[in-house]
Amino acid sequence: MRVEVDPAPRPLKVVGAYALFVGLALVALGLLFRAYGVAPLEAYRVFLSVLGDPLGLAEVARRAIPLLLIGSGLALAFRVGFFNIGAEGQLLLGAVGATYAALFLPPGPWTLPLMFLLGGGLGGVWAGLAAWLRARFGASEILVTLMQNYLAYYLVVYLVAGPWKGRTAFGFLYTDPFPEAARLPVLPGTLVHWPTLLLGAVAALVLHVLLFRTPWGFEWRVLGENPLAAWYLGLDAGRLLLRVGLVSGALAGLAGVGEVAGIHHKLLEPAQVSLGYGFTAILVAWLARGGPGYVLLTAPLLGVVLAGGDALKLAFSMPFRVVDVTSGLLLLALIGAEAASRHRLVWRR
Amino acid sequence: MEEALLRAVLFGTPILLAGLGALLAERSGVVNLGVEGMMALAALTAFAAAQAYGPLPGVLAALGVGMLSGLFLGLFAVTLRANQFVAGLAVAALGLGASGLLGKRYEGLPLAHPLPEGGFALVGAVLALLVHLFLTRTRTGLFLRSAGENPKAVDLFGVSVDGVRYLALGLGGGLIGLAGAYLSLAYRPSWTDGMTAGLGWVAIALVILAAWHPLRALLGAYFFGLLFFLQFRLQGSVPIPSEAFAAMPYLLVILVLALSGRSRAPKALGQPFERGR
């Protein structure tokens, strides 16, 4: 018995593989819930309850905003073969940039644009650094961006506990509240900061067109699919990687701007700013199969996972790790199903 | 001075054990990015089993969970030929998540009978030597190395590439499990969510720093241990914020990656083996 490449899997087989693997993931998740002491079916009911009412849906939308922004950038990056795992840190850097513009520059109508500019810029530079290290020294961007997450985390802790600590924040770790000019409008009664939502949707579409309809995108796709061919074509891989790094990092930075300008109105502890968006966005991008536009579908889907995880945490006082478990299992199910449908078992040697 | 060296060895030991685990997998051609999660799960298992049955069963349970999680990764990275990096990251998230979730009831409990750190340190050093001898002096070790350099040759020998890679992931997982047991049974005899503190990622960087050699990994791990010790020692005595010290190991990993690159990696590292291609 051995495994062989299946060049043209039948659609039924593909659907079957996905159904099988997602089913297995759900069973595994149920077993974990049971081990934790919660009846699996009850847990699933609470998990899906966010789809049942307008407030729950607004939560899903709020969670989908950063996923849209980060996910579209990552879908592009993965397509080009730049495995940016550091969106978490780039988001935090974006929040830092936005906070600087909001608190330390004179407020005015220019404040919000400046926050987006500075936040996106910092996020871009942060990821660009990893791209440069890979192009120049061959350092694995997977590990570099991952380590940068920790660096960004400690930078934010340092800022909110040290120089940027708010005058009104007795004993708590956050900055002063942002002035009115530094706050994004939201849909009434919700936390859905719609300008960022719009920005995310536009980014997904623009990147999609860029990737599939322009010479730039062609170069990116060649580099991602066949680096050797890119070399023969005389493409400057280093420069292409740097551009992709900047774009995906900047989008993650913008997501960070949205979180502080639209929801918190201050910079606070890093774990409360990001809520695991960086990792979940990897799933969003992976599901989108390298098409930034498909993120418009996958980001809301994972928004349900995050909002459902929130509901679980509240209902059963579960630790935040429940989201890690859910996305880890889901990710395994998806890559497993994809791989299984591309291969077949042969019963001879 | 002696204290510095002792602490360097004691702090370097979990990095060494986990690093040896990652190294075995990488020499066979499989990247294991799941180390952090596997270590966390093993640390929790060791603690829970030690609470119930005593310290030695704790170590054995961690060993078993480590091996099983290595084989679990193999299911995706070897048999299904999925993207190894993504599969590893998913295993890392799953391990961290499951240990955080299931470990909630053990949070803050003291361990009745901690194990001596020195014992683990000794075992770690001996294992580095054994892994070296295994890779260079045994037939199985030769096949393992070949699976990482030239899997086609292994296949032509009639030896299963997949089997060899499972073996490497399983044995390596056991070593990573030992690293977890060291953390929760000896180094800080307790369980807290996040107690692996990025050591798994440092271990992966160690493999690169050590240029995929077990004995160099021994030296590299103690070097990392020394740097961690200096970081603790300097904290408070110099006008640098403590967050900068906390961030140091991660900065260090980036520096190591930039300085050593991936030029000496096994040639088939990260590539699923497809026969006839």
Side-chain angles (χ1 to χ4, degrees):
Chain A
M1 186 186 97
R2 61 195 180 82
V3 180
E4 201 171 73
V5 176
D6 186 351
R10 283 174 300 130
L12 193 67
K13 178 183 167 192
V14 177
V15 173
Y18 275 88
L20 174 70
F21 274 86
V22 172
L24 284 175
L26 285 178
V27 170
L29 196 60
L31 288 175
L32 268 169
F33 285 148
R34 168 144 304 158
Y36 180 75
V38 174
L41 285 179
E42 178 64 7
Y44 288 137
R45 195 190 59 73
V46 170
F47 189 83
L48 291 176
S49 65
V50 291
L51 291 173
D53 62 294
L55 271 181
L57 287 175
E59 268 311 282
V60 173
R62 167 171 88 92
R63 301 300 222 121
I65 295 170
L67 295 179
L68 257 179
L69 282 162
I70 305 173
S72 53
L74 290 188
L76 174 79
F78 293 171
R79 185 70 185 239
V80 183
F82 182 71
F83 290 97
N84 179 0
I85 309 298
E88 198 82 7
Q90 292 141 26
L91 181 150
L92 289 176
L93 264 282
V96 166
T99 305
Y100 181 79
L103 291 181
F104 303 104
L105 297 178
W110 53 82
T111 298
L112 274 173
L114 215 57
M115 287 166 79
F116 277 103
L117 211 67
L118 214 58
L122 269 183
V125 168
W126 198 237
L129 205 65
W132 180 75
L133 283 174
R134 162 154 166 206
R136 176 77 182 73
F137 299 105
S140 154
E141 77 277 15
I142 295 179
L143 286 169
V144 171
T145 52
L146 202 72
M147 294 301 117
Q148 283 182 307
N149 285 343
Y150 290 96
L151 296 184
Y153 178 94
Y154 285 112
L155 173 69
V156 173
V157 172
Y158 165 68
L159 288 174
V160 294
W164 289 6
K165 189 173 161 114
R167 279 156 297 179
T168 55
F170 305 101
F172 291 102
L173 295 185
Y174 46 74
T175 63
D176 283 331
F178 289 0
E180 208 50 52
R183 298 180 182 199
L184 281 169
V186 291
L187 294 181
T190 71
L191 290 170
V192 182
H193 37 108
W194 58 266
T196 337
L197 184 62
L198 208 64
L199 195 64
V202 170
L205 290 175
V206 166
L207 286 188
H208 201 84
V209 171
L210 205 64
L211 187 61
F212 294 106
R213 293 276 182 276
T214 68
W216 253 38
F218 175 72
E219 292 182 350
W220 274 340
R221 279 181 290 144
V222 171
L223 184 64
E225 267 146 48
N226 192 341
L228 201 64
W231 188 76
Y232 280 122
L233 283 177
L235 298 181
D236 185 344
R239 183 175 302 168
L240 290 178
L241 282 177
L242 197 60
R243 270 191 215 148
V244 164
L246 287 172
V247 170
S248 64
L251 283 169
L254 294 184
V257 179
E259 292 308 294
V260 290
I263 292 173
H264 305 297
H265 303 139
K266 57 185 175 243
L267 186 64
L268 21 71
E269 280 175 275
Q272 294 186 47
V273 177
S274 171
L275 310 167
Y277 291 125
F279 187 76
T280 313
I282 297 175
L283 268 149
V284 169
W286 198 258
L287 262 174
R289 292 278 176 277
Y294 303 135
V295 167
L296 289 169
L297 298 173
T298 58
L301 191 71
L302 270 301
V304 174
V305 171
L306 289 185
D310 277 348
L312 278 177
K313 276 188 283 185
L314 283 175
F316 306 111
S317 60
M318 279 189 183
F320 70 100
R321 292 288 193 193
V322 65
V323 175
D324 282 345
V325 175
T326 319
S327 21
L329 277 173
L330 212 59
L331 191 51
L332 280 175
L334 295 176
I335 60 171
E338 191 216 4
S341 49
R342 274 191 294 104
H343 289 87
R344 64 182 163 212
L345 275 180
V346 180
W347 297 95
R348 58 182 157 71
R349 264 201 76 91
Chain B
M1 186 61 206
E2 275 129 56
E3 193 211 346
L5 287 180
L6 179 70
R7 296 307 310 174
V9 168
L10 292 183
F11 205 90
T13 294
I15 305 174
L16 172 64
L17 286 167
L20 288 172
L23 186 144
L24 267 180
E26 294 208 5
R27 285 304 285 266
S28 83
V30 183
V31 176
N32 179 355
L33 292 190
V35 179
E36 181 83 1
M38 291 163 64
M39 194 152 76
L41 202 60
L44 172 67
T45 311
F47 187 81
Q51 285 283 29
Y53 308 108
L56 230 54
V59 174
L60 289 178
L63 201 68
V65 159
M67 289 180 125
L68 281 179
S69 55
L71 297 178
F72 179 70
L73 175 62
L75 201 63
F76 294 88
V78 178
T79 297
L80 287 169
R81 286 145 175 83
N83 182 313
Q84 295 177 4
F85 298 97
V86 186
L89 285 172
V91 167
L94 190 56
L96 285 171
S99 59
L101 206 59
L102 302 177
K104 201 187 166 197
R105 67 186 73 151
Y106 296 99
E107 198 92 32
L109 292 180
L111 185 67
H113 302 287
L115 287 171
E117 297 165 281
F120 269 99
L122 201 64
V123 168
V126 170
L127 280 172
L129 189 65
L130 286 180
V131 169
H132 172 72
L133 292 176
F134 167 65
L135 284 175
T136 52
R137 295 275 190 278
T138 67
R139 211 176 141 77
T140 317
L142 175 70
F143 283 128
L144 195 152
R145 282 184 289 136
S146 309
E149 296 287 348
N150 188 355
K152 217 169 256 174
V154 176
D155 192 49
L156 285 176
F157 246 89
V159 174
S160 157
V161 175
D162 288 7
V164 170
R165 289 183 169 177
Y166 266 110
L167 178 79
L169 277 171
L171 290 179
L175 290 167
I176 294 165
L178 276 185
Y182 174 82
L183 288 180
S184 68
L185 299 182
Y187 188 73
R188 262 173 45 190
S190 61
W191 163 258
T192 37
D193 189 9
M195 72 185 298
T196 44
L199 286 179
W201 307 114
V202 177
I204 293 169
L206 172 67
V207 180
I208 300 169
L209 174 75
W212 291 267
H213 283 290
L215 295 179
R216 285 191 213 165
L218 183 80
L219 293 179
Y222 294 162
F223 173 67
F224 271 131
L226 187 66
L227 290 171
F228 277 102
F229 166 77
L230 290 177
Q231 168 202 326
F232 289 131
R233 179 45 57 87
L234 289 175
Q235 206 158 346
S237 57
V238 281
I240 297 173
S242 64
E243 287 86 8
F245 283 109
M248 205 87 97
Y250 310 111
L251 198 61
L252 216 69
V253 170
I254 295 179
L255 277 179
V256 165
L257 291 169
L259 292 179
S260 42
R262 294 184 76 80
S263 50
R264 281 165 296 184
K267 284 189 191 62
L269 185 62
Q271 298 163 9
F273 175 65
E274 313 269 14
R275 191 187 255 175
R277 287 218 144 181

